[in-house]
Amino acid sequence: MALTFTKIVITLRLQRDIRGRYAFFNLKNGFESVFRQNINCCQTSCYGCRSGEECCHPGIFSQSLSADPLALKRYQKPSLPFVFHIPLVPDLPNKGMTVEVEVVLIGSAAEYYQHFIHCVSSVYSGFAALVKAESEDYMGNRYLIMGELGELHHDRLFLFSAEELQNNCQHISGMIEVTFVTPVILLRQGHAMREMSFSTFVRALFRRISSLAYYYGGVEMNCDFKWLVEQSCHVETIESELAWTEWKVATPGARLSGIMGRTAFSGDMDIFYPFLLLGQYFNIGKGASFGRGRYLMHGICR
């Protein structure tokens, strides 16, 4: 799979005590407008803009559909080519503590990593200050790409390959445990699902990853998805502690809702491994780009 991406870890220091556990989940509010400001764009819409290919905004935010009618049938509407992993605020007192906001930039979006770092710093400037930004590799090693004063080190940016990622990570087969660490919403006929089987989970991964690969990697995945879906029905849920959760965020009346918790599956995981692995970087479900639907997985030894 030719899909490439990069993972940036942005370290911020809290400038005052923050009471709301979910303060960092307000990132979505105004993020696009802050991005426009950062690239010196004075427009409120791309319609009629003459900047054309010189501007990176359309490639990141437009979510333009393919002109190929077959692709429109085969792939879901393209997601945004970035994914945030957003932290909870530490317990009080927390002034002076550091937190890490991670952003995964997919395909050509990786070229504009500095804009994402500046935007994160700007959005949170009311209560947190940038300490550093680092690029992470397959093994979790980190390389400084932006310091506290804004100095850049472009040569240290590490680029992931979906294929190489599989070769560099410990393989998991048989039984796995999946923990959803932020609320995930998967829709069925327009309604949020309250339960999740392995087949439901992995089908959401198929749709999301194949769409990202097509729209931002320029490749069509050579997979028999119909057969994979059939095989997913044979994977059993052996334990489940999933529950519907609602987080009250700082924005008045706003909530982050979805399924959270731990579940365990047993079956032939080899054929699903590439999707399960990538999903840890890309999240799943509604609002995945801004922190929802993040999960972690590991093998179970019995």
Side-chain angles (χ1 to χ4, degrees), residues 174-237:
M175 290 184 287
I176 65 166
E177 181 177 289
V178 176
T179 302
F180 294 94
V181 296
T182 60
V184 56
I185 289 186
L186 299 179
L187 300 177
R188 176 183 290 166
Q189 297 180 342
H191 299 285
M193 300 173 64
R194 299 296 180 112
E195 297 178 349
M196 186 187 302
S197 66
F198 180 79
S199 185
T200 300
F201 169 45
V202 80
R203 277 183 288 159
L205 286 175
F206 294 159
R207 292 190 297 270
R208 177 160 173 73
I209 293 171
S210 63
S211 177
L212 288 171
Y214 176 77
Y215 281 102
Y216 301 115
V219 293
E220 296 197 50
M221 299 180 66
N222 185 26
C223 298
D224 186 342
F225 286 108
K226 183 178 179 180
W227 179 80
L228 285 170
V229 168
E230 292 173 354
Q231 297 305 305
S232 72
C233 295
H234 300 303
V235 175
E236 297 181 74
T237 301

Side-chain angles (χ1 to χ4, degrees), residues 15 21 116 135 280 294:
Q15 300 295 89
R21 292 278 285 165
F116 282 86
S135 181
Q280 292 185 111
R294 185 185 181 193

Side-chain angles (χ1 to χ4, degrees), residues 5 19-20 43 68 80 142-143 149 191 201 226 233 282:
F5 59 96
R19 295 186 178 277
Q43 306 291 325
D68 182 353
L80 295 166
R142 296 181 179 180
Y143 311 93
L149 300 179
H191 299 285
F201 169 45
K226 183 178 179 180
C233 295
F282 297 159

Side-chain angles (χ1 to χ4, degrees), residues 8-10 12 31 35 38 84 103 105 112-123 130 132-134 145-147 152 157:
I8 309 297
V9 182
I10 304 168
L12 302 167
F31 183 81
F35 192 93
N38 192 260
F84 283 102
V103 60
L105 303 174
Y112 309 107
Y113 74 91
Q114 70 270 31
H115 295 310
F116 282 86
I117 298 170
H118 286 307
C119 287
V120 167
S121 178
S122 179
V123 169
L130 177 69
K132 60 183 176 180
E134 299 166 295
I145 56 173
M146 183 182 290
L152 293 172
L157 185 70

Side-chain angles (χ1 to χ4, degrees), residues 156-169:
R156 299 176 186 174
L157 185 70
F158 185 85
L159 197 63
F160 284 77
S161 155
E163 185 176 352
E164 285 300 313
L165 176 65
Q166 297 172 46
N167 297 332
N168 281 274
C169 291

